[in-house]
């Protein structure tokens, strides 16, 4: 059977590229090492947040956004400083992506049946000057149906293309080698893994039962990043973030191993920005794990008190939801790889959300009735389940008992109730006036000026030590691995480039393996909602680029 293109990796970027190719009548061989149950990859597990600029949803919420403002925020966040080399193509991808997010992205997705939750979220608020890191305005648009709702239209297109004999989809096919002829990539070679009936995300067997070899005019690599490969994370960990954590939990399934990066490098592909990565600081252990070291990220509002392992309050911009990498650096500088939230029952009811499709059954299931139940008293169901069953939560009626429970949990006895009480009392005193020097209190009051935060996201400011707001809650927070920000350097058509800037003939890349475009479209930091969006955009660009190149 003759194929025009072999796509390695059936995550979101691979599905989008396959859709672009088959829409133009190209024959595609889609390979993935995982069982069919994991079709859609990490995107299926996601909260479904997408970065959009000047959308109708924003305008309805009273948000004024522009392409210029979004580009200002992107540059302030990315901090590109390798302009002539590793960031050369990344900057071009970034500019194209912001234009896409402000232009056809929303209507393209709507044409596929994708819809959005009406309240726009405000992720990565920054906490610095206007030209610094962070979103100046809310831009985090949640897909109605979360990750599965975003994967669904592309899976539908895949199934239709299979019926038309335009796609052969072969799960359990692990690519071990890219085949070349005189420097041109002409196919793939690898191992057929034994059949597996594991559920989505669970570790599957690596037992080899046979070998395979396929050829095509073009190969597209869309195999994801290194998020579950802790050895590779630690190897590439940048010194600017301190020493790598000895203990981490994983935000991605075991198969996110980064194998195809080295395999692509062997045929001349250039990997850039290896030291750039994105790991969350608000991870909690999943009491109902699907994969090894399974962690869930808390999506916090701005009110919780954030303490290091010794009970010292972090300084701005290291506030909940403001600057992920700055907080990661601050945590690692303490010599410990965990931290704490202290909050009240009122805060957890309003401000705690959990990332992931499975942790948001109301949004994932598109249930308006269940969403409305969030305004009822009590923590959301998934959050309450972690409070009841998760090992990282401590609940108490007074601070002394809370701190005792925190020390019992870590068995390190690092925390002293009097030290923590003094800091929280100082914060509580800052609420007695409408103005204060406490940056966090000013920030949460400012957040409530935005209608979306005031309605469903940010609790009314109150004193944490006032018993009427209790009980008190403490949450131990782990470092949660997640995204590769660097990767294979590509041009705007997804062509993989060599060290000398020339293309590797026949080889393309999309998604996280390419740093979401160009080998690092985010630079050092993300504005959030840009990982799924980067898969969509880079998969689309690569698919269209391949169609153009094959026609020449």
């Amino acid at each position: 059977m003759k194929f025009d293109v072999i796509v390695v990796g059936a995550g979101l970027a691979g599905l989008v590229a396959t859709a672009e190719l088959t829409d133009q009548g190209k024959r595609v061989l889609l390979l993935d090492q995982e069982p069919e149950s994991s079709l859609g990859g990490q995107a299926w597990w996601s909260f479904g947040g997408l970065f959009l600029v000047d959308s109708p949803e924003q305008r309805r919420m009273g948000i004024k956004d522009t392409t210029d403002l979004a580009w200002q925020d992107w540059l302030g966040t990315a901090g590109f400083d390798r302009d002539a080399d590793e960031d050369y193509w990344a900057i071009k991808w970034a500019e194209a992506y912001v234009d896409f997010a402000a232009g056809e992205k929303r209507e393209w997705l709507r044409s596929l049946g994708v819809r959005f939750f009406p309240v726009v979220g405000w992720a990565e608020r920054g906490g610095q000057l206007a030209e610094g890191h962070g979103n100046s305005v809310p831009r985090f648009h949640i897909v109605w149906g979360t990750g599965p709702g975003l994967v669904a239209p592309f899976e539908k297109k895949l199934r239709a293309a299979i019926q038309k004999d335009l796609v052969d989809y072969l799960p359990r096919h692990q690519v071990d080698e890219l085949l070349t002829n005189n420097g041109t990539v002409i196919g793939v070679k690898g191992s057929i893994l034994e059949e597996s009936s594991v559920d989505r995300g669970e570790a599957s067997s690596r037992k080899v039962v046979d070998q395979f070899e396929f050829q095509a005019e073009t190969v597209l690599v869309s195999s994801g990043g290194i998020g579950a490969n802790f050895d590779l994370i630690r190897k590439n960990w940048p010194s600017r973030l301190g020493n790598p954590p000895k203990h981490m939990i994983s935000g991605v399934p075991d198969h996110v191993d980064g194998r195809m990066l080295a395999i692509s490098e062997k045929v001349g592909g250039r990997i850039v920005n290896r030291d750039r990565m994105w790991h969350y600081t608000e991870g909690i252990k999943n009491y109902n794990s699907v994969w090894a070291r399974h962690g869930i990220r808390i999506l916090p509002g701005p009110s919780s008190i954030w303490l290091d392992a010794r009970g010292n309050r972090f300084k701005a911009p290291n506030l909940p939801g403001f600057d992920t990498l700055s907080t990661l650096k601050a945590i690692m500088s303490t010599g410990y790889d965990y931290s704490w939230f202290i909050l009240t029952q009122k805060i957890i009811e309003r401000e705690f959300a959990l990332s992931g499709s499975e942790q948001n059954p109301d949004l994932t299931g598109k249930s308006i009735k269940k969403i409305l139940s969030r305004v009822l008293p009590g923590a959301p169901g998934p959050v309450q389940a972690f409070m009841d069953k998760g090992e990282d939560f401590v609940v108490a009626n007074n601070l002394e008992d809370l701190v005792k429970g925190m020390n019992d949990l870590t068995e390190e006895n690092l925390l002293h109730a009097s030290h923590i009480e003094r800091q929280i009392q100082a914060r509580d005193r800052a609420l007695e006036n409408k103005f204060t020097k406490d940056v966090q209190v000013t920030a949460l009051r400012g957040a409530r000026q935005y209608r979306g935060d005031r309605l469903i996201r940010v609790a009314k400011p109150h004193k944490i030590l006032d018993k009427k707001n209790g009980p008190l809650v403490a949450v131990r927070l782990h470092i949660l691995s997640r995204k590769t920000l660097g990767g294979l350097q590509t041009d705007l058509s997804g062509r993989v480039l060599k060290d000398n800037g020339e293309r590797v003939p026949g080889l393309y890349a999309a998604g996280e393996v390419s740093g979401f475009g160009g080998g690092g479209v985010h630079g050092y930091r993300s504005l959030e909602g840009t990982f799924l969006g980067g898969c969509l955009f880079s998969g689309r660009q690569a698919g269209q680029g391949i169609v153009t190149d094959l026609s020449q």
Side-chain angles (χ1 to χ4, degrees):
M1 184 71 70
K2 185 179 185 301
F3 300 104
D4 297 304
V5 184
I6 297 171
V7 176
V8 181
L12 183 59
L15 293 179
V16 173
T18 297
E20 292 292 328
L21 292 163
T22 55
D23 281 350
Q24 300 302 315
K26 303 303 178 185
R27 289 214 76 251
V28 176
L29 173 62
L30 178 61
L31 304 176
D32 198 283
Q33 66 184 5
E34 293 309 299
E36 189 168 344
S37 60
S38 286
L39 181 68
Q42 296 176 64
W44 190 94
W45 292 99
S46 75
F47 192 34
L50 289 175
F51 176 91
L52 295 174
V53 178
D54 191 26
S55 69
E57 288 79 13
Q58 285 177 300
R59 293 193 291 272
R60 282 193 289 268
M61 295 302 296
I63 301 165
K64 297 178 181 179
D65 199 8
T66 65
T67 305
D68 287 345
L69 182 60
W71 183 236
Q72 171 187 296
D73 287 349
W74 196 287
L75 288 177
T77 297
F80 294 120
D81 56 6
R82 303 164 184 172
D83 299 19
D85 185 23
E86 295 187 49
D87 284 337
Y88 178 80
W89 283 103
I91 294 171
K92 293 181 181 295
W93 272 92
E95 191 166 15
Y97 179 70
V98 171
D99 286 343
F100 176 63
E104 61 182 316
K105 179 180 179 181
R106 182 180 181 276
E107 289 309 309
W108 171 60
L109 290 172
R110 283 183 60 84
S111 74
L112 296 170
V114 175
R115 297 294 184 267
F116 297 97
F117 186 62
V119 179
V120 183
W122 196 351
E124 285 295 297
R125 300 171 189 237
Q128 300 183 41
L129 300 180
E131 289 187 294
H133 166 66
N135 286 291
S136 296
V137 297
R139 296 191 179 103
F140 193 79
H141 295 67
I142 302 168
V143 171
W144 187 233
T146 67
L150 186 59
V151 170
F154 298 102
E155 179 178 352
K156 182 179 179 181
K157 290 175 75 71
L158 172 68
R159 303 293 183 194
I162 291 172
Q163 289 296 315
K164 295 176 183 178
D165 199 31
L166 288 173
V167 175
D168 282 10
Y169 168 44
L170 299 179
R172 307 302 286 154
H173 281 61
Q174 177 181 272
V175 173
D176 301 320
E177 181 182 347
L178 294 172
L179 302 176
T180 61
N181 182 23
N182 294 324
T184 297
V185 175
I186 60 169
V188 297
K189 183 178 181 180
S191 305
I192 301 176
L193 307 178
E194 69 175 346
E195 290 296 317
S196 174
S197 60
V198 300
D199 291 335
R200 180 183 293 274
E202 293 181 348
S204 60
S205 169
R206 287 297 178 262
K207 181 180 179 181
V208 176
V209 297
D210 206 347
Q211 303 293 316
F212 69 86
E213 183 174 319
F214 297 106
Q215 293 190 9
E217 292 185 57
T218 297
V219 174
L220 169 67
V221 176
S222 53
S223 54
I226 67 172
N229 189 334
F230 285 10
D231 289 339
L232 202 51
I233 288 173
R234 291 186 175 106
K235 178 181 178 181
N236 292 319
W237 189 272
S239 59
R240 64 180 175 275
L241 294 178
N243 293 323
K246 295 178 181 178
H247 167 78
M248 287 186 285
I249 54 178
S250 180
V252 295
D254 296 358
H255 61 78
V256 186
D257 53 18
R259 291 182 71 254
M260 288 304 301
L261 283 163
I263 291 170
S264 300
E265 193 174 27
K266 285 182 179 178
V267 298
R270 186 190 187 198
I271 301 174
V272 295
N273 300 311
R274 298 174 193 261
D275 61 321
R276 295 178 183 170
M277 52 187 75
W278 188 254
H279 306 302
Y280 291 112
T281 50
E282 312 99 333
I284 52 176
K285 294 180 180 179
N286 194 343
Y287 66 87
N288 187 26
S289 294
V290 176
W291 53 80
R293 303 165 294 195
H294 190 173
I296 299 294
R297 185 199 175 198
I298 294 170
L299 301 171
S303 299
S304 298
I305 296 289
W306 204 338
L307 305 175
D308 68 19
R310 291 189 172 274
N312 300 303
R313 191 178 174 196
F314 286 114
K315 299 177 181 179
N318 306 316
L319 309 174
F322 277 72
D323 191 331
T324 295
L325 284 199
S326 176
T327 309
L328 177 59
K329 180 180 179 180
I331 291 170
M332 298 314 302
S333 71
T334 67
Y336 297 89
D337 48 23
Y338 68 93
S339 60
W340 293 96
F341 277 164
I342 290 182
L343 58 152
T344 65
Q345 179 69 21
K346 287 185 177 180
I347 292 173
I348 206 166
E349 288 180 3
R350 177 59 69 94
E351 297 195 8
F352 262 39
L354 301 174
S355 184
S357 56
E358 83 285 12
Q359 300 298 332
N360 294 275
D362 48 0
L363 289 164
T364 302
K366 303 180 181 180
S367 172
I368 295 175
K369 181 179 179 180
K370 289 182 179 179
I371 288 172
L372 291 176
S373 71
R374 292 196 181 204
V375 302
L376 298 175
V383 175
Q384 187 63 51
F386 270 89
M387 291 178 70
D388 295 339
K389 304 173 186 177
E391 67 177 81
D392 295 311
F393 284 75
V394 181
V395 181
N397 289 320
N398 59 74
L399 187 62
E400 187 172 343
D401 287 346
L402 187 78
V403 173
K404 181 181 183 302
M406 295 162 73
N407 280 326
D408 289 346
L409 183 58
T410 62
E411 299 181 344
E412 292 188 284
N413 205 36
L414 298 174
L415 303 171
H416 301 282
S418 59
H419 177 57
I420 294 173
E421 183 179 33
R422 192 197 78 242
Q423 295 174 88
I424 299 179
Q425 283 180 338
R427 177 266 186 200
D428 284 355
R429 290 189 189 104
L431 294 174
E432 293 174 1
N433 290 289
K434 293 182 179 180
F435 39 85
T436 178
K437 68 180 180 181
D438 189 295
V439 174
Q440 185 174 5
V441 173
T442 298
L444 68 92
R445 284 172 169 164
R448 285 176 58 84
Q449 297 300 309
Y450 166 50
R451 189 191 315 157
D453 276 353
R454 188 171 65 255
L455 287 173
I456 65 171
R457 195 72 176 102
V458 180
K460 185 177 180 179
H462 59 269
K463 293 187 176 182
I464 288 174
L465 294 181
D466 188 332
K467 290 186 177 181
K468 70 181 181 183
N469 299 318
L472 294 171
V473 181
V475 189
R476 178 178 58 181
L477 305 172
H478 306 266
I479 306 302
L480 178 72
S481 70
R482 189 59 66 90
K483 294 298 180 186
T484 311
L485 297 189
L488 292 167
Q489 192 171 40
T490 58
D491 66 14
L492 282 171
S493 293
R495 305 179 188 97
V496 175
L497 305 175
K498 304 177 184 177
D499 287 339
N500 62 6
E502 297 179 2
R503 63 174 298 197
V504 179
L507 185 61
Y508 295 71
E512 191 172 351
V513 75
S514 66
F516 302 95
V521 67
H522 296 96
Y524 286 93
R525 286 179 168 91
S526 167
L527 287 170
E528 292 289 16
T530 56
F531 299 129
L532 288 176
C535 288
L536 291 169
F537 185 56
S538 62
R540 191 170 186 245
Q541 288 288 106
Q544 293 176 354
I546 291 170
V547 168
T548 298
D549 289 349
L550 289 178
S551 67
Q552 294 177 352

